[in-house]
Amino acid sequence: MNKLEEEYEEIQPKIYAFFYAKTGNQATAQDLCHDTFYEACKNIASFNGVSTLSTWMFSIAVNLLKKHYRKNKYQLSLMQKLSLMPETEIHTLEELAEIKEDTKKLLYHISKLEDSAREIVLLRIYGELSFAEIGVLIGKSENYARVNFHRLKLRIQKAMELTL
């Protein structure tokens, strides 16, 4: 249990940031983060050590997020809301409280990516996972995750330069 407590201190902010980036709601992000650690504690005996503990916990987080969206179909995800917003509206602080201007632009451009690409970017940026861990989560190789992230990063940078 001590290892889980240490992991909690290290990974909790990353999982919270991942949920916040995906939902855009602090309360929902906190609830999902709490549920992730609850499920991890409850099922720690099923952790087989094939992946790292943080990768295992992020897989729980991803599954809880999917469950949350299934349960709340009527609510648009943050990514869907951002993709529906005209670019001119994204520049106001009222639209996305507590998120800085550059982060809003970045999230806007991330929201325009296809689902699998968006997942790689969010796991790397907000989850701060290694490419090996991302590869395990998406069922691809470490190199696949690394190359795709690099290409996506260049695509996002180019898009952000065009909107300046």
Side-chain angles (χ1 to χ4, degrees), residues 15-67:
I15 289 180
Y16 172 79
F18 172 75
F19 282 133
Y20 186 69
K22 294 291 258 182
T23 64
N25 183 302
Q26 284 182 330
T28 303
Q30 288 171 346
D31 289 345
L32 289 169
C33 191
H34 168 76
D35 292 347
T36 299
F37 284 95
Y38 173 75
E39 289 296 320
C41 288
K42 189 169 81 172
N43 298 306
I44 193 70
S46 69
F47 176 65
N48 57 15
V50 171
S51 62
T52 64
L53 190 58
S54 62
T55 302
W56 179 69
M57 292 177 74
F58 261 97
S59 67
I60 293 171
V62 168
N63 289 330
L64 284 173
L65 185 64
K66 288 177 185 175
K67 183 178 176 182

Side-chain angles (χ1 to χ4, degrees), residues 5-152:
E5 289 174 18
E6 291 171 14
E7 281 290 320
Y8 176 81
E9 295 296 324
E10 181 181 328
I11 200 169
Q12 187 274 340
K14 297 173 186 178
I15 289 180
Y16 172 79
F18 172 75
F19 282 133
Y20 186 69
K22 294 291 258 182
T23 64
N25 183 302
Q26 284 182 330
T28 303
Q30 288 171 346
D31 289 345
L32 289 169
C33 191
H34 168 76
D35 292 347
T36 299
F37 284 95
Y38 173 75
E39 289 296 320
C41 288
K42 189 169 81 172
N43 298 306
I44 193 70
S46 69
F47 176 65
N48 57 15
V50 171
S51 62
T52 64
L53 190 58
S54 62
T55 302
W56 179 69
M57 292 177 74
F58 261 97
S59 67
I60 293 171
V62 168
N63 289 330
L64 284 173
L65 185 64
K66 288 177 185 175
K67 183 178 176 182
H68 170 75
Y69 282 140
R70 276 193 306 269
K71 193 166 102 177
N72 301 305
K73 280 185 184 177
Y74 62 91
Q75 293 179 346
L76 289 176
S77 72
L78 173 64
M79 293 300 158
Q80 291 169 324
K81 288 176 189 173
L82 284 170
S83 67
L84 295 174
M85 294 174 93
E87 269 186 65
T88 55
E89 291 182 37
I90 294 214
H91 300 291
T92 65
L93 290 175
E94 293 80 24
E95 294 296 328
L96 297 169
E98 299 178 20
I99 299 177
K100 293 182 180 176
E101 193 69 28
D102 290 341
T103 304
K104 288 190 288 186
K105 290 177 188 175
L106 176 63
L107 285 173
Y108 172 77
H109 290 292
I110 291 172
S111 74
K112 294 296 186 183
L113 299 173
E114 54 278 357
D115 289 341
S116 59
R118 187 178 325 123
E119 200 71 21
I120 291 170
V121 171
L122 290 174
L123 288 170
R124 181 67 179 170
I125 293 174
Y126 291 102
E128 298 178 12
L129 295 180
S130 70
F131 293 115
E133 292 171 321
I134 294 170
V136 168
L137 283 172
I138 63 172
K140 302 281 185 176
S141 69
E142 175 182 352
N143 194 46
Y144 176 89
R146 182 184 321 279
V147 169
N148 276 294
F149 178 77
H150 178 69
R151 289 177 182 162
L152 293 166

